[in-house]
Amino acid sequence: MARWPTVVRYAVLFAGALLFLFPFYYMLIGSLQSEPDTSVGGAFPTSGLTLGNYADINSRVDLLGSLVNSGIFTGGVLLCTVVFGVLAGYALARLQFRGRGTLFVIVLLVQVIPFQLLLVPLYVLIVRGYGLADSYLGMILPFAINTTAVFVFRQFFLQLPDDLFAAARLDGAGELRILRSVALPLVRPALLTAVLLTFIGPWNEFLWPFLITKDADMQPLAVSLANYISNVASRAANPFGAILAGACVLAAPAVALFIAFQRHFTSTDLGSGVKG
Amino acid sequence: MTTAPIEGGVRRNRVAAFFGRHPVGMILAAPYAVYIAVVFAYPLGFSLWISFQDYFFAAPGAIVDHPFVGFDNYTAVLSDPAVRQAFGNILVFLVINVPLTTALALLLAVALNRVVHARTFLRVAFYVPYVTASVAVVGVWLFLFNSDGLVNTVLGPLAPDPSWLVNEGLAMPVIAVFVTWKQLGFFILLYLAALQNVPKELYESASVDGAGAWSKFWSVTVPAVRPATALVVILSLITGANLFTEPYLLTGGGGPSGASTSPVLLMYQRGIQQGEPDFAAALGVLLVIGVLIVAFVNWRFIERRD
C-alpha cells in the first residue's frame, strides 16, 4: 500500500487522541487556576497555578471521608463479584446440574434489562422496606454480583481444556479444590481484566448511591461532588476551580489504575467474553 | 464423557437424573441465584405490581391499602406532555448518538488495529473517558460549554445564543456528543475484539480482485463485524434509554424548559422527589418495553441480512 494512507491514519488518530485527552488536561489546568481563565491562552498558563481549589473543595466536601465511602462501596462490590461470581461462572461453565440452562438464560436476560426499571421498586424495598438508606449494605446490594462479570468468568472457564478437569476429578479432587488449584491459576490474567472492568462500575456510579444517601457522611465522592455541583457551587469564590479540583480527585484513582493495568485491558482478554 | 462409577451406580444414576451429574454446581451457583431472585426478579415483579396500583409512600409502619387501578397509571403516563417530551428528547439523543458511536467506533478500531507505533498512548487516550466517572467529566464539560467557556471563546461571534447548555435546540445534541465521547472507548474495544476474528484471506482475495482500501472496508470489514455492530447498537440504545446523570448535572435537571429531560430523570423527579412511585413504575415498564422492541427489531434486521 502507498505510504501516505499510513501518514493520514496516524494524523487522524493523533488528532482524535488529543481531542479525547484535552478535557482531562483542561480539568487539571482549571483545578490549578485561582481565577477561571476561559481565554485560549488560559488553557496554557505559565504562572499563577495554585492548590487553593483543592483546599476549597475539601472545606466544603469531606474529600477523604467521601473517598473512603467510595472505596468501601467499590470494595464490597468487587469482593462479592469475585467470590460469588467466580463460583457461579465456574458452575455454569464446568458443572452439569439441574437448572443450569435456566440460570444461563437469566444471566443473559439480566444484562438486557436496564437497571432503571428496578429503580423505583429497589428504592421502595431497600430504603422504605429494609431501612437501609444511608448504609453501605444498601449501597452495595443492587450491584453486589456483577452479572456481566459472571458471564465473562463463565467464558474464561469454558475455554480451558476438558481433559484438565477430567484428570483432576479422576484424582478425586473436589470441585472447590479443582476451581482453586486448577482453574483459577489458569484464568488469573483474564480475571484481573474482569476485576478492573467491575471496579469502574461502582466507583463511577452516581444514580443509586445518590438516591439512598442523604447523610453527607455516607456519600461516595461521585455523589458529594454532584451535590456540590448542583447546590452550593454558586456560593464558592471560584466554583469551577473547586468543581474541577473535586473532579480530579474523583477521576484520579480510576485513571491511575487503568493506566497501571492498561496492558490487561485488551481486546483479546475481553474478546473471549464478547464472542460468546 | 466418563462413565458413572459401578458401586452404588443405580442410586447415583437416579440422583444424577434429577440433579444433574454435578449437584454441587447447584450449591456453587446458589448465592448468585438467590441474589438474582432478591435484587432482580422480585423487584421486577414488584415494579409491575406497583404500576397497577394507586401506590404512595406512607409513614413507616403504617398499614395502608394500595387499590388496584388497572391501567390508570399507564394512561396517566401516556397522556402526560412531560413524558412525551422526554421520549422525544431521547429520540433526538439516539438519532445523534447511535450512528455517531457506531461509525466512529468502527473507523477508529480499524485504524487502531493496524497501528504499530504509539499503540499504548493511542489506546489510553481513547479509553480514558470510558473509565472516568461521569460526574467528574461533566464538571469539565460544564466549564467548556459554559456561556463564557472556552468553546464559546474560540467560536467568538459564531457562539450560539443562548449558549449550548441553556439552548433548547442544542442541549440534547451536546449531551448526545458528550455520551458518544464518554462511551466510545468501550465500543472501540468491542470492535477491536471482533476485528481479530476477520480471516486474513478475505482481505488477500479482495486485494487480488484489485479492491482498494475503502472498498475492502465496505466489502470485507463491515460485513465481517456485523455481529459486533448489532451488539454496539443494542448497548448504545440501552445506554441512551438509561440517560440520567448527564441531563441531571450538565443541563441542571433536564433544562432548559424540559428540552433535555430523559425518561429516567422524569422517573426520579416524579417517583421519588414528588412521591408518585406508581407513575414512575409505569413509566419504567413502558421504557423497557420500548427498548426491548427496538433491540429486537435491530436484532432481526441484522439476523435477516446474514
Side-chain angles (χ1 to χ4, degrees), chain A residues 10 13 24 38 96-98 114 116-117 141-142 144-145 147 204 207 210 240 262 275, chain B residues 18-19 21-22 32 35 44 115-117 120 123 131 146 148 153 197 242 244 248 267:
Chain A
Y10 274 100
L13 281 174
F24 289 88
T38 57
Q96 285 169 5
F97 56 94
R98 193 174 183 84
Q116 274 64 15
L117 178 61
L141 207 55
I145 309 177
T147 292
N204 295 346
L207 179 54
F210 164 72
F240 279 118
Q262 60 82 22
K275 273 177 280 176
Chain B
F18 188 76
F19 291 110
R21 278 203 301 145
H22 310 115
Y32 176 69
Y35 166 78
L44 201 66
V115 146
V116 197
H117 309 287
T120 306
R123 259 187 15 200
V131 301
N146 180 288
D148 0 274
T153 316
N197 300 330
N242 285 347
F244 172 82
Y248 178 76
M267 280 169 73

mmCIF file of all heavy atoms in Angstrom, chain A residues 10 13 24 38 96-98 114 116-117 141-142 144-145 147 204 207 210 240 262 275, chain B residues 18-19 21-22 32 35 44 115-117 120 123 131 146 148 153 197 242 244 248 267:
data_model
loop_
_atom_site.group_PDB
_atom_site.id
_atom_site.type_symbol
_atom_site.label_atom_id
_atom_site.label_comp_id
_atom_site.label_asym_id
_atom_site.label_seq_id
_atom_site.Cartn_x
_atom_site.Cartn_y
_atom_site.Cartn_z
ATOM 1 N N TYR A 10 -2.261 7.918 10.949
ATOM 2 C CA TYR A 10 -1.649 8.388 12.205
ATOM 3 C C TYR A 10 -2.098 9.803 12.539
ATOM 4 O O TYR A 10 -2.363 10.114 13.700
ATOM 5 C CB TYR A 10 -0.123 8.301 12.130
ATOM 6 C CG TYR A 10 0.390 6.935 12.516
ATOM 7 C CD1 TYR A 10 0.747 6.004 11.555
ATOM 8 C CD2 TYR A 10 0.490 6.580 13.857
ATOM 9 C CE1 TYR A 10 1.189 4.741 11.901
ATOM 10 C CE2 TYR A 10 0.943 5.313 14.217
ATOM 11 C CZ TYR A 10 1.283 4.408 13.242
ATOM 12 O OH TYR A 10 1.714 3.163 13.600
ATOM 13 N N LEU A 13 -5.579 9.620 13.922
ATOM 14 C CA LEU A 13 -5.604 9.009 15.247
ATOM 15 C C LEU A 13 -5.042 9.952 16.306
ATOM 16 O O LEU A 13 -5.592 10.071 17.403
ATOM 17 C CB LEU A 13 -4.814 7.701 15.244
ATOM 18 C CG LEU A 13 -5.546 6.502 14.654
ATOM 19 C CD1 LEU A 13 -4.621 5.301 14.577
ATOM 20 C CD2 LEU A 13 -6.766 6.147 15.493
ATOM 21 N N PHE A 24 -9.394 16.295 29.816
ATOM 22 C CA PHE A 24 -8.695 15.879 31.030
ATOM 23 C C PHE A 24 -7.589 16.861 31.388
ATOM 24 O O PHE A 24 -7.397 17.216 32.550
ATOM 25 C CB PHE A 24 -8.136 14.464 30.858
ATOM 26 C CG PHE A 24 -9.205 13.439 30.857
ATOM 27 C CD1 PHE A 24 -9.841 13.089 29.680
ATOM 28 C CD2 PHE A 24 -9.625 12.848 32.035
ATOM 29 C CE1 PHE A 24 -10.871 12.167 29.680
ATOM 30 C CE2 PHE A 24 -10.645 11.935 32.044
ATOM 31 C CZ PHE A 24 -11.267 11.591 30.866
ATOM 32 N N THR A 38 -10.979 31.599 30.760
ATOM 33 C CA THR A 38 -11.521 30.819 29.654
ATOM 34 C C THR A 38 -11.016 31.297 28.305
ATOM 35 O O THR A 38 -11.540 30.897 27.279
ATOM 36 C CB THR A 38 -13.061 30.850 29.661
ATOM 37 O OG1 THR A 38 -13.469 32.214 29.611
ATOM 38 C CG2 THR A 38 -13.616 30.198 30.898
ATOM 39 N N GLN A 96 -22.525 -29.889 35.426
ATOM 40 C CA GLN A 96 -23.873 -30.134 34.919
ATOM 41 C C GLN A 96 -24.793 -30.347 36.087
ATOM 42 O O GLN A 96 -24.612 -31.281 36.863
ATOM 43 C CB GLN A 96 -23.870 -31.363 34.016
ATOM 44 C CG GLN A 96 -23.257 -31.050 32.667
ATOM 45 C CD GLN A 96 -23.006 -32.295 31.865
ATOM 46 O OE1 GLN A 96 -23.381 -33.392 32.273
ATOM 47 N NE2 GLN A 96 -22.358 -32.137 30.729
ATOM 48 N N PHE A 97 -25.734 -29.434 36.233
ATOM 49 C CA PHE A 97 -26.679 -29.573 37.346
ATOM 50 C C PHE A 97 -28.044 -29.090 36.892
ATOM 51 O O PHE A 97 -28.162 -28.381 35.883
ATOM 52 C CB PHE A 97 -26.195 -28.788 38.567
ATOM 53 C CG PHE A 97 -25.950 -27.335 38.295
ATOM 54 C CD1 PHE A 97 -26.936 -26.389 38.538
ATOM 55 C CD2 PHE A 97 -24.721 -26.889 37.791
ATOM 56 C CE1 PHE A 97 -26.720 -25.049 38.284
ATOM 57 C CE2 PHE A 97 -24.502 -25.548 37.530
ATOM 58 C CZ PHE A 97 -25.497 -24.628 37.781
ATOM 59 N N ARG A 98 -29.052 -29.481 37.646
ATOM 60 C CA ARG A 98 -30.420 -29.108 37.279
ATOM 61 C C ARG A 98 -30.566 -27.597 37.378
ATOM 62 O O ARG A 98 -30.168 -26.996 38.362
ATOM 63 C CB ARG A 98 -31.395 -29.794 38.231
ATOM 64 C CG ARG A 98 -32.815 -29.721 37.763
ATOM 65 C CD ARG A 98 -33.699 -30.538 38.671
ATOM 66 N NE ARG A 98 -35.067 -30.535 38.169
ATOM 67 C CZ ARG A 98 -35.503 -31.367 37.232
ATOM 68 N NH1 ARG A 98 -34.678 -32.264 36.719
ATOM 69 N NH2 ARG A 98 -36.760 -31.306 36.827
ATOM 70 N N PRO A 114 -32.509 -2.939 31.672
ATOM 71 C CA PRO A 114 -31.769 -1.840 32.294
ATOM 72 C C PRO A 114 -32.068 -1.717 33.784
ATOM 73 O O PRO A 114 -33.187 -1.987 34.234
ATOM 74 C CB PRO A 114 -32.246 -0.602 31.535
ATOM 75 C CG PRO A 114 -33.382 -1.015 30.716
ATOM 76 C CD PRO A 114 -33.494 -2.486 30.702
ATOM 77 N N GLN A 116 -32.542 0.785 35.432
ATOM 78 C CA GLN A 116 -33.514 1.826 35.745
ATOM 79 C C GLN A 116 -34.924 1.301 35.950
ATOM 80 O O GLN A 116 -35.709 1.909 36.651
ATOM 81 C CB GLN A 116 -33.510 2.882 34.638
ATOM 82 C CG GLN A 116 -32.479 3.957 34.823
ATOM 83 C CD GLN A 116 -31.051 3.466 34.770
ATOM 84 O OE1 GLN A 116 -30.787 2.359 34.327
ATOM 85 N NE2 GLN A 116 -30.119 4.278 35.225
ATOM 86 N N LEU A 117 -35.231 0.141 35.346
ATOM 87 C CA LEU A 117 -36.552 -0.435 35.564
ATOM 88 C C LEU A 117 -36.711 -0.803 37.036
ATOM 89 O O LEU A 117 -37.803 -0.801 37.586
ATOM 90 C CB LEU A 117 -36.734 -1.674 34.680
ATOM 91 C CG LEU A 117 -38.059 -2.423 34.842
ATOM 92 C CD1 LEU A 117 -39.222 -1.527 34.481
ATOM 93 C CD2 LEU A 117 -38.086 -3.662 33.991
ATOM 94 N N LEU A 141 -25.845 -3.606 47.773
ATOM 95 C CA LEU A 141 -26.780 -4.682 47.434
ATOM 96 C C LEU A 141 -27.174 -4.767 45.953
ATOM 97 O O LEU A 141 -27.017 -5.826 45.344
ATOM 98 C CB LEU A 141 -28.019 -4.577 48.334
ATOM 99 C CG LEU A 141 -28.760 -5.882 48.600
ATOM 100 C CD1 LEU A 141 -27.824 -6.945 49.164
ATOM 101 C CD2 LEU A 141 -29.926 -5.647 49.547
ATOM 102 N N PRO A 142 -27.662 -3.691 45.339
ATOM 103 C CA PRO A 142 -28.111 -3.846 43.944
ATOM 104 C C PRO A 142 -26.985 -4.172 42.960
ATOM 105 O O PRO A 142 -27.251 -4.653 41.868
ATOM 106 C CB PRO A 142 -28.714 -2.481 43.603
ATOM 107 C CG PRO A 142 -28.955 -1.820 44.893
ATOM 108 C CD PRO A 142 -27.947 -2.351 45.849
ATOM 109 N N ALA A 144 -24.112 -5.992 43.977
ATOM 110 C CA ALA A 144 -23.192 -6.911 44.654
ATOM 111 C C ALA A 144 -22.527 -7.907 43.710
ATOM 112 O O ALA A 144 -21.312 -8.070 43.745
ATOM 113 C CB ALA A 144 -23.915 -7.630 45.781
ATOM 114 N N ILE A 145 -23.298 -8.599 42.874
ATOM 115 C CA ILE A 145 -22.676 -9.570 41.968
ATOM 116 C C ILE A 145 -22.912 -9.091 40.538
ATOM 117 O O ILE A 145 -24.036 -9.106 40.054
ATOM 118 C CB ILE A 145 -23.246 -10.989 42.161
ATOM 119 C CG1 ILE A 145 -23.194 -11.384 43.648
ATOM 120 C CG2 ILE A 145 -22.454 -11.985 41.321
ATOM 121 C CD1 ILE A 145 -23.800 -12.731 43.942
ATOM 122 N N THR A 147 -23.389 -9.186 36.910
ATOM 123 C CA THR A 147 -23.792 -10.278 36.019
ATOM 124 C C THR A 147 -22.898 -10.379 34.797
ATOM 125 O O THR A 147 -22.582 -11.483 34.335
ATOM 126 C CB THR A 147 -25.266 -10.096 35.620
ATOM 127 O OG1 THR A 147 -26.060 -10.292 36.781
ATOM 128 C CG2 THR A 147 -25.686 -11.097 34.574
ATOM 129 N N ASN A 204 -17.684 4.748 39.716
ATOM 130 C CA ASN A 204 -18.249 5.861 38.965
ATOM 131 C C ASN A 204 -19.752 5.998 39.133
ATOM 132 O O ASN A 204 -20.339 6.959 38.658
ATOM 133 C CB ASN A 204 -17.930 5.693 37.472
ATOM 134 C CG ASN A 204 -16.448 5.776 37.194
ATOM 135 O OD1 ASN A 204 -15.682 6.205 38.053
ATOM 136 N ND2 ASN A 204 -16.043 5.360 36.020
ATOM 137 N N LEU A 207 -26.221 7.417 40.204
ATOM 138 C CA LEU A 207 -27.660 7.429 40.461
ATOM 139 C C LEU A 207 -28.063 6.706 41.747
ATOM 140 O O LEU A 207 -28.744 7.276 42.601
ATOM 141 C CB LEU A 207 -28.390 6.838 39.252
ATOM 142 C CG LEU A 207 -29.911 6.742 39.328
ATOM 143 C CD1 LEU A 207 -30.532 8.073 39.657
ATOM 144 C CD2 LEU A 207 -30.469 6.219 38.015
ATOM 145 N N PHE A 210 -26.736 8.111 45.038
ATOM 146 C CA PHE A 210 -27.350 9.427 45.159
ATOM 147 C C PHE A 210 -28.760 9.291 45.738
ATOM 148 O O PHE A 210 -29.179 10.081 46.595
ATOM 149 C CB PHE A 210 -27.386 10.074 43.769
ATOM 150 C CG PHE A 210 -28.306 11.253 43.617
ATOM 151 C CD1 PHE A 210 -28.003 12.478 44.201
ATOM 152 C CD2 PHE A 210 -29.477 11.146 42.885
ATOM 153 C CE1 PHE A 210 -28.855 13.563 44.053
ATOM 154 C CE2 PHE A 210 -30.325 12.226 42.722
ATOM 155 C CZ PHE A 210 -30.020 13.440 43.317
ATOM 156 N N PHE A 240 -15.883 26.882 39.539
ATOM 157 C CA PHE A 240 -15.335 25.922 38.585
ATOM 158 C C PHE A 240 -14.017 25.345 39.075
ATOM 159 O O PHE A 240 -13.771 24.155 38.933
ATOM 160 C CB PHE A 240 -15.174 26.554 37.205
ATOM 161 C CG PHE A 240 -16.453 26.566 36.445
ATOM 162 C CD1 PHE A 240 -17.046 27.750 36.052
ATOM 163 C CD2 PHE A 240 -17.084 25.373 36.142
ATOM 164 C CE1 PHE A 240 -18.246 27.740 35.357
ATOM 165 C CE2 PHE A 240 -18.292 25.348 35.453
ATOM 166 C CZ PHE A 240 -18.868 26.548 35.066
ATOM 167 N N GLN A 262 -3.207 -1.049 32.026
ATOM 168 C CA GLN A 262 -3.808 -0.935 30.704
ATOM 169 C C GLN A 262 -3.448 -2.087 29.777
ATOM 170 O O GLN A 262 -4.226 -2.434 28.901
ATOM 171 C CB GLN A 262 -3.517 0.422 30.069
ATOM 172 C CG GLN A 262 -2.069 0.779 29.859
ATOM 173 C CD GLN A 262 -1.480 0.181 28.616
ATOM 174 O OE1 GLN A 262 -2.193 -0.160 27.705
ATOM 175 N NE2 GLN A 262 -0.174 0.020 28.611
ATOM 176 N N LYS A 275 -17.220 -12.764 22.391
ATOM 177 C CA LYS A 275 -17.508 -13.650 21.263
ATOM 178 C C LYS A 275 -18.606 -14.662 21.572
ATOM 179 O O LYS A 275 -19.321 -15.074 20.703
ATOM 180 C CB LYS A 275 -16.230 -14.399 20.847
ATOM 181 C CG LYS A 275 -15.405 -13.605 19.854
ATOM 182 C CD LYS A 275 -14.111 -14.309 19.515
ATOM 183 C CE LYS A 275 -13.052 -14.098 20.570
ATOM 184 N NZ LYS A 275 -11.824 -14.829 20.319
ATOM 185 N N PHE B 18 -31.923 -36.501 38.317
ATOM 186 C CA PHE B 18 -32.701 -35.361 38.797
ATOM 187 C C PHE B 18 -31.853 -34.103 38.976
ATOM 188 O O PHE B 18 -32.234 -33.022 38.526
ATOM 189 C CB PHE B 18 -33.408 -35.723 40.116
ATOM 190 C CG PHE B 18 -34.371 -34.646 40.532
ATOM 191 C CD1 PHE B 18 -35.601 -34.506 39.888
ATOM 192 C CD2 PHE B 18 -34.034 -33.727 41.515
ATOM 193 C CE1 PHE B 18 -36.479 -33.505 40.233
ATOM 194 C CE2 PHE B 18 -34.917 -32.713 41.866
ATOM 195 C CZ PHE B 18 -36.139 -32.603 41.225
ATOM 196 N N PHE B 19 -30.719 -34.247 39.649
ATOM 197 C CA PHE B 19 -29.926 -33.045 39.973
ATOM 198 C C PHE B 19 -28.839 -32.736 38.946
ATOM 199 O O PHE B 19 -28.177 -31.719 39.035
ATOM 200 C CB PHE B 19 -29.257 -33.198 41.341
ATOM 201 C CG PHE B 19 -30.226 -33.177 42.483
ATOM 202 C CD1 PHE B 19 -30.475 -34.335 43.216
ATOM 203 C CD2 PHE B 19 -30.892 -32.016 42.826
ATOM 204 C CE1 PHE B 19 -31.374 -34.313 44.266
ATOM 205 C CE2 PHE B 19 -31.787 -31.999 43.876
ATOM 206 C CZ PHE B 19 -32.038 -33.147 44.592
ATOM 207 N N ARG B 21 -25.259 -34.264 36.719
ATOM 208 C CA ARG B 21 -24.081 -35.060 37.094
ATOM 209 C C ARG B 21 -23.284 -34.434 38.221
ATOM 210 O O ARG B 21 -22.567 -35.087 38.934
ATOM 211 C CB ARG B 21 -23.188 -35.273 35.863
ATOM 212 C CG ARG B 21 -23.692 -36.431 35.005
ATOM 213 C CD ARG B 21 -22.587 -36.994 34.175
ATOM 214 N NE ARG B 21 -22.020 -35.985 33.292
ATOM 215 C CZ ARG B 21 -20.734 -35.941 32.978
ATOM 216 N NH1 ARG B 21 -19.901 -36.814 33.480
ATOM 217 N NH2 ARG B 21 -20.302 -35.004 32.153
ATOM 218 N N HIS B 22 -23.376 -33.109 38.368
ATOM 219 C CA HIS B 22 -22.623 -32.433 39.430
ATOM 220 C C HIS B 22 -23.565 -31.602 40.282
ATOM 221 O O HIS B 22 -23.620 -30.384 40.119
ATOM 222 C CB HIS B 22 -21.548 -31.530 38.846
ATOM 223 C CG HIS B 22 -20.675 -32.196 37.833
ATOM 224 N ND1 HIS B 22 -20.648 -31.829 36.506
ATOM 225 C CD2 HIS B 22 -19.796 -33.213 37.961
ATOM 226 C CE1 HIS B 22 -19.795 -32.597 35.852
ATOM 227 N NE2 HIS B 22 -19.263 -33.441 36.710
ATOM 228 N N TYR B 32 -25.494 -16.714 43.758
ATOM 229 C CA TYR B 32 -25.839 -15.844 42.643
ATOM 230 C C TYR B 32 -27.334 -15.940 42.327
ATOM 231 O O TYR B 32 -27.995 -14.927 42.085
ATOM 232 C CB TYR B 32 -25.003 -16.197 41.409
ATOM 233 C CG TYR B 32 -25.373 -15.409 40.180
ATOM 234 C CD1 TYR B 32 -25.094 -14.048 40.111
ATOM 235 C CD2 TYR B 32 -26.036 -16.007 39.116
ATOM 236 C CE1 TYR B 32 -25.458 -13.307 39.004
ATOM 237 C CE2 TYR B 32 -26.404 -15.270 38.004
ATOM 238 C CZ TYR B 32 -26.114 -13.923 37.950
ATOM 239 O OH TYR B 32 -26.488 -13.198 36.862
ATOM 240 N N TYR B 35 -29.235 -14.073 44.884
ATOM 241 C CA TYR B 35 -29.026 -12.642 44.649
ATOM 242 C C TYR B 35 -29.946 -12.142 43.531
ATOM 243 O O TYR B 35 -30.607 -11.109 43.663
ATOM 244 C CB TYR B 35 -27.549 -12.411 44.297
ATOM 245 C CG TYR B 35 -27.269 -11.057 43.720
ATOM 246 C CD1 TYR B 35 -27.186 -9.940 44.541
ATOM 247 C CD2 TYR B 35 -27.085 -10.886 42.342
ATOM 248 C CE1 TYR B 35 -26.936 -8.691 44.003
ATOM 249 C CE2 TYR B 35 -26.828 -9.652 41.809
ATOM 250 C CZ TYR B 35 -26.758 -8.551 42.640
ATOM 251 O OH TYR B 35 -26.527 -7.320 42.111
ATOM 252 N N LEU B 44 -38.505 -6.769 40.012
ATOM 253 C CA LEU B 44 -39.114 -6.679 38.689
ATOM 254 C C LEU B 44 -40.622 -6.916 38.789
ATOM 255 O O LEU B 44 -41.435 -6.154 38.249
ATOM 256 C CB LEU B 44 -38.471 -7.725 37.773
ATOM 257 C CG LEU B 44 -38.588 -7.510 36.277
ATOM 258 C CD1 LEU B 44 -37.815 -6.283 35.865
ATOM 259 C CD2 LEU B 44 -38.068 -8.729 35.531
ATOM 260 N N VAL B 115 -2.179 -0.078 13.791
ATOM 261 C CA VAL B 115 -1.159 0.840 14.279
ATOM 262 C C VAL B 115 0.006 0.069 14.884
ATOM 263 O O VAL B 115 -0.189 -0.949 15.549
ATOM 264 C CB VAL B 115 -1.808 1.790 15.313
ATOM 265 C CG1 VAL B 115 -0.841 2.143 16.403
ATOM 266 C CG2 VAL B 115 -2.338 3.027 14.626
ATOM 267 N N VAL B 116 1.222 0.507 14.581
ATOM 268 C CA VAL B 116 2.408 -0.148 15.134
ATOM 269 C C VAL B 116 3.037 0.742 16.208
ATOM 270 O O VAL B 116 3.446 0.272 17.255
ATOM 271 C CB VAL B 116 3.451 -0.445 14.044
ATOM 272 C CG1 VAL B 116 4.455 -1.465 14.539
ATOM 273 C CG2 VAL B 116 2.769 -0.912 12.765
ATOM 274 N N HIS B 117 3.100 2.049 15.912
ATOM 275 C CA HIS B 117 3.754 2.977 16.829
ATOM 276 C C HIS B 117 2.740 3.601 17.786
ATOM 277 O O HIS B 117 1.571 3.741 17.437
ATOM 278 C CB HIS B 117 4.444 4.095 16.037
ATOM 279 C CG HIS B 117 5.332 3.568 14.957
ATOM 280 N ND1 HIS B 117 6.542 2.966 15.215
ATOM 281 C CD2 HIS B 117 5.155 3.512 13.616
ATOM 282 C CE1 HIS B 117 7.077 2.582 14.069
ATOM 283 N NE2 HIS B 117 6.251 2.894 13.083
ATOM 284 N N THR B 120 0.173 2.201 22.856
ATOM 285 C CA THR B 120 -0.284 2.381 24.231
ATOM 286 C C THR B 120 -0.887 3.766 24.424
ATOM 287 O O THR B 120 -1.981 3.900 24.955
ATOM 288 C CB THR B 120 0.893 2.177 25.206
ATOM 289 O OG1 THR B 120 1.466 0.910 24.926
ATOM 290 C CG2 THR B 120 0.429 2.235 26.639
ATOM 291 N N ARG B 123 -4.257 3.996 22.633
ATOM 292 C CA ARG B 123 -5.293 3.209 23.324
ATOM 293 C C ARG B 123 -5.755 3.911 24.590
ATOM 294 O O ARG B 123 -6.949 4.057 24.835
ATOM 295 C CB ARG B 123 -4.759 1.821 23.647
ATOM 296 C CG ARG B 123 -5.271 0.819 22.673
ATOM 297 C CD ARG B 123 -4.938 -0.597 23.011
ATOM 298 N NE ARG B 123 -4.482 -0.842 24.361
ATOM 299 C CZ ARG B 123 -3.794 -1.932 24.681
ATOM 300 N NH1 ARG B 123 -3.482 -2.803 23.771
ATOM 301 N NH2 ARG B 123 -3.421 -2.125 25.917
ATOM 302 N N VAL B 131 -13.338 5.102 31.394
ATOM 303 C CA VAL B 131 -13.076 4.635 32.764
ATOM 304 C C VAL B 131 -13.276 5.740 33.799
ATOM 305 O O VAL B 131 -13.219 5.478 34.990
ATOM 306 C CB VAL B 131 -11.652 4.038 32.933
ATOM 307 C CG1 VAL B 131 -11.440 2.870 31.990
ATOM 308 C CG2 VAL B 131 -10.581 5.081 32.728
ATOM 309 N N ASN B 146 -19.922 26.350 29.105
ATOM 310 C CA ASN B 146 -20.491 27.475 29.809
ATOM 311 C C ASN B 146 -20.608 28.670 28.858
ATOM 312 O O ASN B 146 -19.896 28.725 27.861
ATOM 313 C CB ASN B 146 -19.459 27.727 30.915
ATOM 314 C CG ASN B 146 -19.784 28.838 31.806
ATOM 315 O OD1 ASN B 146 -19.697 29.988 31.426
ATOM 316 N ND2 ASN B 146 -20.163 28.477 32.998
ATOM 317 N N ASP B 148 -19.544 31.677 29.024
ATOM 318 C CA ASP B 148 -18.240 32.289 28.704
ATOM 319 C C ASP B 148 -17.119 31.256 28.773
ATOM 320 O O ASP B 148 -16.010 31.563 29.163
ATOM 321 C CB ASP B 148 -17.893 33.496 29.598
ATOM 322 C CG ASP B 148 -18.933 33.811 30.619
ATOM 323 O OD1 ASP B 148 -19.850 34.543 30.255
ATOM 324 O OD2 ASP B 148 -18.832 33.305 31.759
ATOM 325 N N THR B 153 -15.438 31.057 23.602
ATOM 326 C CA THR B 153 -14.335 31.988 23.376
ATOM 327 C C THR B 153 -13.690 31.709 22.026
ATOM 328 O O THR B 153 -13.398 32.629 21.258
ATOM 329 C CB THR B 153 -13.262 31.835 24.480
ATOM 330 O OG1 THR B 153 -13.909 31.752 25.734
ATOM 331 C CG2 THR B 153 -12.299 32.993 24.480
ATOM 332 N N ASN B 197 -11.060 -11.506 14.589
ATOM 333 C CA ASN B 197 -11.617 -12.742 14.043
ATOM 334 C C ASN B 197 -11.897 -12.682 12.556
ATOM 335 O O ASN B 197 -12.425 -13.630 11.998
ATOM 336 C CB ASN B 197 -12.940 -13.070 14.748
ATOM 337 C CG ASN B 197 -12.726 -13.256 16.225
ATOM 338 O OD1 ASN B 197 -11.654 -13.678 16.644
ATOM 339 N ND2 ASN B 197 -13.731 -12.922 17.009
ATOM 340 N N ASN B 242 -31.101 4.806 29.383
ATOM 341 C CA ASN B 242 -30.812 4.950 30.811
ATOM 342 C C ASN B 242 -30.256 6.311 31.188
ATOM 343 O O ASN B 242 -29.821 6.505 32.323
ATOM 344 C CB ASN B 242 -29.774 3.912 31.233
ATOM 345 C CG ASN B 242 -30.381 2.554 31.328
ATOM 346 O OD1 ASN B 242 -31.596 2.414 31.310
ATOM 347 N ND2 ASN B 242 -29.552 1.550 31.418
ATOM 348 N N PHE B 244 -29.302 9.568 32.665
ATOM 349 C CA PHE B 244 -29.756 10.276 33.863
ATOM 350 C C PHE B 244 -28.749 11.338 34.315
ATOM 351 O O PHE B 244 -29.081 12.508 34.425
ATOM 352 C CB PHE B 244 -30.017 9.302 35.022
ATOM 353 C CG PHE B 244 -30.308 10.007 36.322
ATOM 354 C CD1 PHE B 244 -31.584 10.489 36.586
ATOM 355 C CD2 PHE B 244 -29.302 10.221 37.258
ATOM 356 C CE1 PHE B 244 -31.854 11.170 37.764
ATOM 357 C CE2 PHE B 244 -29.568 10.904 38.433
ATOM 358 C CZ PHE B 244 -30.840 11.378 38.693
ATOM 359 N N TYR B 248 -29.149 15.490 34.416
ATOM 360 C CA TYR B 248 -29.317 15.959 35.790
ATOM 361 C C TYR B 248 -28.277 17.020 36.125
ATOM 362 O O TYR B 248 -28.589 18.035 36.740
ATOM 363 C CB TYR B 248 -29.214 14.780 36.770
ATOM 364 C CG TYR B 248 -29.335 15.201 38.213
ATOM 365 C CD1 TYR B 248 -30.569 15.536 38.751
ATOM 366 C CD2 TYR B 248 -28.211 15.301 39.034
ATOM 367 C CE1 TYR B 248 -30.695 15.961 40.062
ATOM 368 C CE2 TYR B 248 -28.326 15.710 40.346
ATOM 369 C CZ TYR B 248 -29.563 16.037 40.859
ATOM 370 O OH TYR B 248 -29.676 16.458 42.158
ATOM 371 N N MET B 267 -38.514 9.747 35.899
ATOM 372 C CA MET B 267 -38.851 8.720 36.892
ATOM 373 C C MET B 267 -38.377 9.148 38.269
ATOM 374 O O MET B 267 -39.064 8.962 39.267
ATOM 375 C CB MET B 267 -38.185 7.383 36.534
ATOM 376 C CG MET B 267 -38.904 6.596 35.463
ATOM 377 S SD MET B 267 -37.881 5.217 34.887
ATOM 378 C CE MET B 267 -37.983 4.115 36.295
#
